[in-house]
Amino acid sequence: MKFLILTNNPDRASYRQRIGVYLNTFRTEGIEPTVVVLEKSLFKRICQYKSIDRYDVVLLHKKCLNWLDGLFFNPQKAKVIFNYDDAIMFNDKGQQTRTHRKRFKRSLKKANKVLVGSSYLAQQALLSHDDVKILPLGLNTADYCPDTLKPNDGKVRLVWIGSTPTLDYIRQLTPVIQKLAVKYPNLVLRLICDEFIDIKSVEIEKIQWTPQARGQGLAESDIGLAPLPDTPFTRGKCSFKVLEYSASGLPVIASSIGTNPDHVKEGQTGFLITSPEKWFEKLDLLINDPSLRRQMGKAGISYAQHFDTAVIGKRICDIIQNCSP
């Protein structure tokens, strides 16, 4: 089967986690992928669109088509899968402008099947499309190191992993972390990111994200943090970092937003939070109870196995093959 993947940016995390990690799996299953980065020039994109009927299935990754794209992205034979794992029908402020709405609906209209990362995103698509599948993010659990020995320095490390655009999510916990740092002088906030913040009176460990640094940096930590504000945009967030924490053997404390409630098993792999008071309460509990941290971390490792790329890869291959002409 000839499979075309159209994406604006193959370097973004959402492409790597949603599509890129499965390229070898596709080949193993008889699906031959071709990845094409969409040109910024409309004229060059039109030339790219002319080739789509050479393929059996075309996957449109997080591309909301403007009206000119819509005129020329018009496959006659190839089946189209529209794939996304963010609330792309809104802007990053949670607003659905007329332009966002029209482009989103245009991509839905062109698709034979819609592939999304959560039930919230599915609900948005089902308003305009009747063939919507939910496929959660997967991760290669072998990339994580839950058996790594933690530093024997008496410190308790809270960890947050993310990227520059999401730094505001960890900033919202500043008052809680500062209050905890007063109570626990051995408390450390570890950030694994491409840029960093400082918090007054809080010890910060800054680790530049690389695949190797990620695995070790998470495993050496004690508690994973997944804060999110509540907006229409963040409700569409898919909880990759929650799965990373669980695969690393960490208990997770997360806002009850997006797919966090799907992936945090309350009282088993971590806690879901709805207020600053609860953030302090649950962090205080886990800081004081190493045995509870170990128990939740062990449960998280088992849970994360259900989302290994071997499992999710088989599911996405089935979806693609069932979409072919």
Side-chain angles (χ1 to χ4, degrees), residues 19-31 33:
I19 302 299
V21 72
Y22 301 115
L23 294 181
N24 287 334
T25 303
F26 294 154
R27 296 184 184 102
T28 300
E29 295 294 322
I31 300 168

Side-chain angles (χ1 to χ4, degrees), residues 38-216:
L38 288 167
E39 296 281 358
K40 293 184 178 179
S41 157
L42 176 62
F43 176 77
K44 290 181 179 179
R45 285 205 306 279
I46 291 170
C47 294
Q48 291 174 320
Y49 294 153
K50 288 181 178 179
S51 71
I52 56 181
D53 274 324
R54 299 174 190 170
Y55 298 86
D56 299 301
V57 178
V58 177
L59 185 139
L60 189 63
H61 176 65
K62 289 185 75 168
K63 172 66 175 175
C64 288
L65 301 168
N66 65 36
W67 72 274
L68 285 171
D69 284 308
L71 287 177
F72 296 98
F73 182 86
N74 192 28
Q76 301 300 305
K77 298 178 182 178
K79 300 297 183 181
V80 177
I81 299 173
F82 181 34
N83 169 75
Y84 58 94
D85 60 343
D86 272 320
I88 56 175
M89 66 292 302
F90 301 107
N91 63 23
D92 56 8
K93 295 180 180 178
Q95 301 166 333
Q96 189 178 61
T97 65
R98 186 169 179 266
T99 298
H100 273 83
R101 182 174 61 255
K102 283 195 167 186
R103 290 185 176 187
F104 176 64
K105 288 187 174 182
R106 189 175 291 117
S107 293
L108 289 174
K109 186 176 180 180
K110 295 287 184 177
N112 299 97
K113 188 180 298 290
V114 182
L115 191 58
V116 301
S118 72
S119 57
Y120 175 81
L121 296 176
Q123 290 167 11
Q124 303 297 317
L126 284 167
L127 297 173
S128 304
H129 205 287
D130 59 5
D131 191 354
V132 180
K133 299 289 185 185
I134 299 173
L135 184 79
L137 291 174
L139 78 172
N140 184 355
T141 55
D143 289 342
Y144 300 86
C145 317
D147 295 328
T148 298
L149 292 177
K150 299 185 188 299
N152 187 24
D153 57 8
K155 295 184 177 181
V156 177
R157 288 173 170 83
L158 313 180
V159 65
W160 178 84
I161 187 168
S163 59
T164 300
T166 58
L167 275 170
D168 278 344
Y169 301 162
I170 191 64
R171 280 193 184 98
Q172 75 179 36
L173 287 185
T174 294
V176 171
I177 294 172
Q178 286 177 319
K179 186 177 177 182
L180 286 164
V182 171
K183 185 173 182 179
Y184 300 101
N186 63 331
L187 190 70
V188 175
L189 174 62
R190 172 173 283 190
L191 303 176
I192 304 174
C193 194
D194 46 358
E195 291 189 16
F196 305 95
I197 62 171
D198 292 299
I199 297 177
K200 186 178 179 180
S201 304
V202 176
E203 182 179 350
I204 306 283
E205 291 180 346
K206 301 174 181 179
I207 297 178
Q208 194 74 30
W209 189 97
T210 66
Q212 182 177 2
R214 169 199 60 191
Q216 184 171 347

Side-chain angles (χ1 to χ4, degrees), residues 3 13 16 32 79 122 137-138 213 217 250 263 268 273 314:
F3 181 46
R16 293 196 308 268
E32 189 55 42
K79 300 297 183 181
L137 291 174
L250 305 184
H263 289 319
Q268 299 176 40
I273 304 301
K314 181 64 169 62

